[in-house]
Amino acid sequence: MRLLQAILILLMSLYCAPLMAQEGGEASVVVHGARTDGNDKKAEFILDVEKPVGFSVFALEGPYRLVIDLPDMIFQMEQGIGSVERAMVKNFRFGSFGHSGSRVVLDLSKPTKVVKAYTLPSVDGNPARLVIEMASVSKKEFAEQALRDVIRIRADGKRDTAPVISSAAADKVADAVEDSRPLIVLDPGHGGIDTGAVSSSGTHESTIVLEFAKALRDVLVKEKHFRVLLTRDRDRFISLGGRVAFAREKKADLFLSIHADIVKEHYVRGATVYTLSDRASDAVAHTLAQQENRSDLIAGLEIEETDDVVADILIDLTRRETANHSALYSRTLVGALKSSIRLSKSPERSAGFRVLKAPDIPSVLLELGYLSNKEDRADLLSDSWRDKAIKSIVKSINKFFASRSVQSSGLFSPRSG
């Protein structure tokens, strides 16, 4: 059942791209506003848009959510607009999703059914509207609706009954030309609909880590010792599994996920390097992993109980070897960073981060610092601090691959397939 649910979610996520192509839309449409009208029995969720567009809407449970998939949109709204609780909508969030679409996720206070969905054209200078009518239902009725009753609406407001066809619209980074240099995959955390941590001054983690990853990429590319790819190069959402799959598809030799989180203890500061572990090294690592692993949930995806990437017992030996290499790089990275930037009191930690679960790629998560700490926040926004950190990371990568080569007595070379 959960496999069927996952397939249906994937199909829904891919729907927006072909929908936009079918309707000839090229330029992104602006979303001017959003609001919920009604009470805890019946309500409407309304998006004010530049012009009507096709969209789809479906429900998820655990927790209760409604997910609205759209073509690529421009949201001219403040992120805080979604924090107002009204009717059965506790809050909502919005942003880019995948490679060619956008998504709005409504967190619901109770089981809620989509009664009707439609578009309205612009009238008398008022914006066009996308409207979703909702009604409170029982838990049983919600469960029957979830993932089965997907409503797809065309731009003309009529319901689309055509079958959803999987699309190759998700743009893939072209395979690198045959090249023996090691491939580094940099993974700027969060993005799009999932902003990640947000500081008290409104600084988004997703923006900081993307800028850092791009700057790190540029320095690595100039050195010409490595090939470098980013899991995302703009403000868009990529699922945790999608990030791992990307690195595996490209046959990466090192995966570095970059973050800048918030913790309750504002005095906690400094960079920390995390590796994968079934059991967290401490309470802070456990809490942080829980936060990061909710990324897919925040974006309106179902979290699978099983992990196919690590399910096969035959790859256990590969996982052990990879874990050793991940630990080696963690130590190397911490050693390089300690001479240039502030580290946390326990700079080497481990926990069950889903994004680190590639069984055949050395993977670490680098917490640059904490947006919840005033000093760290200033560092994260400083060009000079960033340059020092990047210089140390580049040094660690060079040393790591030199060490692997020596350990393999000259037999090690980047994987070729």
Side-chain angles (χ1 to χ4, degrees):
M1 175 60 72
R2 296 188 69 84
L3 177 60
L4 176 60
Q5 290 178 346
I7 293 172
L8 285 169
I9 289 175
L10 176 61
L11 292 175
M12 291 309 98
S13 299
L14 290 171
Y15 176 72
C16 287
L19 181 64
M20 186 166 60
Q22 291 166 5
E23 295 175 352
E26 294 182 359
S28 297
V29 174
V30 176
V31 181
H32 296 289
R35 62 191 181 279
T36 304
D37 292 331
N39 52 47
D40 62 354
K41 300 294 183 183
K42 292 184 178 180
E44 292 181 340
F45 182 77
I46 302 168
L47 286 174
D48 293 330
V49 293
E50 183 180 11
K51 65 179 182 180
V53 297
F55 66 96
S56 65
V57 57
F58 58 97
L60 291 172
E61 57 183 334
Y64 296 119
R65 288 159 289 163
L66 287 181
V67 178
I68 306 166
D69 277 338
L70 303 148
D72 194 20
M73 311 290 280
I74 298 174
F75 291 94
Q76 292 187 351
M77 305 187 295
E78 294 293 331
Q79 285 287 342
I81 192 176
S83 62
V84 178
E85 183 171 359
R86 186 164 298 165
M88 63 276 288
V89 178
K90 292 197 297 185
N91 56 68
F92 65 91
R93 51 197 170 275
F94 51 87
S96 65
F97 183 80
H99 296 257
S100 54
S102 299
R103 173 167 282 192
V104 179
V105 179
L106 280 61
D107 290 323
L108 306 172
S109 58
K110 59 174 63 179
T112 302
K113 180 179 181 179
V114 177
V115 177
K116 190 176 181 181
Y118 51 92
T119 66
L120 294 173
S122 173
V123 177
D124 297 331
N126 295 315
R129 295 177 180 178
L130 309 184
V131 182
I132 297 172
E133 297 182 4
M134 302 171 286
S136 176
V137 295
S138 67
K139 291 182 178 180
K140 181 179 179 181
E141 191 172 355
F142 183 94
E144 291 174 350
Q145 167 198 242
L147 289 170
R148 188 194 67 183
D149 187 12
V150 179
I151 298 176
R152 305 192 307 277
I153 305 299
R154 302 199 310 243
D156 61 7
K158 296 180 180 179
R159 185 160 180 168
D160 189 347
T161 57
V164 178
I165 300 174
S166 177
S167 168
D171 57 312
K172 293 184 177 180
V173 178
D175 288 332
V177 178
E178 192 66 30
D179 193 329
S180 62
R181 294 176 301 167
L183 173 61
I184 315 299
V185 169
L186 303 177
D187 174 47
H190 308 281
I193 192 171
D194 174 21
T195 61
V198 181
S199 73
S200 56
S201 60
T203 302
H204 290 180
E205 176 186 5
S206 58
T207 300
I208 285 180
V209 297
L210 178 58
E211 292 175 354
F212 188 95
K214 285 182 175 180
L216 175 56
R217 174 198 60 190
D218 293 345
V219 174
L220 284 168
V221 168
K222 284 181 181 179
E223 285 212 346
K224 299 183 178 180
H225 297 152
F226 307 98
R227 293 172 291 140
V228 187
L229 291 176
L230 271 62
T231 55
R232 66 179 182 96
D233 57 4
R234 60 183 176 87
D235 186 26
R236 65 183 178 194
F237 174 83
I238 306 293
S239 70
L240 297 174
R243 296 167 190 266
V244 176
F246 176 86
R248 299 195 75 210
E249 177 189 354
K250 300 304 175 184
K251 297 181 172 63
D253 295 286
L254 180 65
F255 180 86
L256 177 58
S257 192
I258 304 170
H259 293 258
D261 276 281
I262 281 178
V263 292
K264 291 181 180 179
E265 300 81 6
H266 291 182
Y267 58 85
V268 174
R269 63 170 304 199
T272 308
V273 181
Y274 290 88
T275 52
L276 179 66
S277 173
D278 293 335
R279 179 174 294 181
S281 57
D282 53 61
V284 173
H286 175 72
T287 301
L288 190 65
Q290 284 188 317
Q291 290 177 191
E292 293 300 338
N293 290 345
R294 291 185 69 252
S295 180
D296 288 0
L297 189 71
I298 288 170
L301 291 179
E302 189 83 350
I303 295 180
E304 290 298 295
E305 296 295 336
T306 59
D307 190 340
D308 292 338
V309 135
V310 296
D312 193 344
I313 194 171
L314 295 177
I315 63 174
D316 185 58
L317 290 176
T318 301
R319 290 180 63 195
R320 293 184 184 183
E321 182 182 8
T322 300
N324 290 336
H325 287 307
S326 297
L328 171 62
Y329 181 61
S330 174
R331 291 193 299 271
T332 305
L333 179 54
V334 167
L337 288 173
K338 69 181 181 181
S339 63
S340 60
I341 65 172
R342 172 74 174 262
L343 298 180
S344 67
K345 290 183 177 180
S346 301
E348 287 188 70
R349 299 183 183 184
S350 60
F353 292 93
R354 294 179 63 214
V355 79
L356 301 181
K357 288 192 174 182
D360 50 352
I361 303 171
S363 305
V364 303
L365 185 149
L366 171 60
E367 193 74 41
L368 294 171
Y370 296 93
L371 285 171
S372 46
N373 180 272
K374 183 173 65 175
E375 289 82 5
D376 270 6
R377 190 161 60 246
D379 284 341
L380 290 166
L381 297 173
S382 165
D383 290 340
S384 61
W385 179 92
R386 184 181 67 184
D387 291 344
K388 288 190 296 183
I390 287 175
K391 184 177 179 180
S392 294
I393 295 171
V394 172
K395 179 181 177 181
S396 74
I397 292 174
N398 278 294
K399 185 175 180 180
F400 171 68
F401 283 100
S403 298
R404 286 189 65 173
S405 181
V406 170
Q407 286 182 352
S408 301
S409 301
L411 297 179
F412 169 78
S413 62
R415 286 174 292 125
S416 58

